[in-house]
Amino acid sequence: MNNLEYFLQIIYALKITVFLALGALILGLVLGLLGALMERGMLLFRIIAQIWHLIIRALPEIIVIFIFYFGLSIVLSALLHTYVEVSAFLSGVIALGIIFGAYASQIIQSAMNSIDQGEIDAALSLGMSKYQAFIMIALPNIAKHAFPGLMNLWLVVLKDSSIVSVIGVVDIMRASQTAAAQNFAPLTFYLFAAFLYLLLTTLSYIGARFLNKKLHHGEQYERISL
């Protein structure tokens, strides 16, 4: 296999990296919103959310990934009384999603605290239910305030997705390691991997600037820093 084929393999692995990060983003946003709501709920829910945050902050990300990679199959097999194999890709998405969600919940919680309660009260006085007021009034404002922090968190997760290469996911990093080992040219392939990560983060930054302007159309929008 010549060098060109190895470069093509790394480019193909870029798709795996993007899907992995997007999966973690979607799961993390759902968990982050749920965690933020739990922080504002009854005592038991607050305790569960705080324990989750404490564990994620205390453990290195690679440990969390290993726990889900090896642990999910064991737990599911025990529950279903048959062997269940969880793919490395799915394990990576779940692990990164839970990590993303723990930090995202703090950002969303801060955004919730910045919402003007008067707007919610006005919506309720007009006959809206609490659910309608949350979806139509509170959630768009939460998105505006939380977007810059969540975007920075997305960039971190996009780069940290390279860690899942240790459990066999053929992402950019794993493909680069294979190419470097086969060709004894580590610098060449790792520089190419660095270029692809730089390309992804730059495109994400450009897209985030555009979306942030749309969210804050007609007002001074918040700056997003890498």
Side-chain angles (χ1 to χ4, degrees):
M1 186 181 294
N2 57 43
N3 283 357
L4 177 60
E5 291 175 314
Y6 282 109
F7 282 120
L8 291 176
Q9 284 186 349
I10 297 173
I11 292 173
Y12 179 80
L14 182 149
K15 179 177 68 174
I16 305 299
T17 293
V18 172
F19 286 160
L20 179 71
L22 285 175
L25 171 68
I26 294 169
L27 177 60
L29 287 176
V30 173
L31 293 177
L33 180 58
L34 180 61
L37 292 173
M38 290 173 67
E39 286 276 10
R40 303 168 73 88
M42 58 188 294
L43 179 61
L44 177 60
F45 290 155
R46 294 202 302 271
I47 292 173
I48 293 173
Q50 289 167 7
I51 291 174
W52 171 34
H53 298 154
L54 176 62
I55 291 173
I56 294 302
R57 291 174 184 274
L59 296 179
E61 293 174 357
I62 192 170
I63 295 294
V64 177
I65 290 170
F66 277 136
I67 288 172
F68 279 93
Y69 178 59
F70 294 107
L72 280 177
S73 293
I74 295 173
V75 171
L76 291 176
S77 297
L79 290 175
L80 301 176
H81 303 290
T82 184
Y83 178 70
V84 177
E85 183 176 356
V86 180
S87 70
F89 179 86
L90 181 58
S91 300
V93 168
I94 294 173
L96 289 177
I98 288 175
I99 294 168
F100 182 99
Y103 291 103
S105 68
Q106 299 296 300
I107 296 173
I108 295 172
Q109 173 73 3
S110 296
M112 284 181 172
N113 292 335
S114 65
I115 300 299
D116 184 359
Q117 186 60 38
E119 295 182 19
I120 305 298
D121 293 337
L124 295 176
S125 68
L126 291 173
M128 286 188 180
S129 66
K130 289 185 178 181
Y131 174 78
Q132 289 174 322
F134 178 77
I135 296 297
M136 300 178 66
I137 305 298
L139 199 56
N141 284 309
I142 291 171
K144 286 183 181 181
H145 289 92
F147 185 80
L150 291 175
M151 186 57 209
N152 285 329
L153 191 55
W154 154 254
L155 294 176
V156 172
V157 170
L158 182 61
K159 292 179 288 185
D160 286 354
S161 65
S162 61
I163 301 174
V164 300
S165 63
V166 300
I167 57 175
V169 177
V170 187
D171 64 337
I172 293 174
M173 195 63 197
R174 183 77 172 189
S176 300
Q177 289 173 334
T178 300
Q182 293 291 332
N183 290 274
F184 304 101
L187 184 60
T188 299
F189 291 104
Y190 287 137
L191 283 175
F192 185 63
F195 166 76
L196 292 180
Y197 280 113
L198 180 61
L199 177 64
L200 288 175
T201 54
T202 301
L203 291 176
S204 295
Y205 179 81
I206 293 172
R209 295 284 296 181
F210 175 78
L211 290 175
N212 203 44
K213 287 181 180 179
K214 291 294 183 182
L215 283 172
H216 295 270
H217 181 68
E219 58 185 271
Q220 182 65 37
Y221 61 88
E222 299 175 59
R223 294 187 62 187
I224 299 176
S225 58
L226 289 174

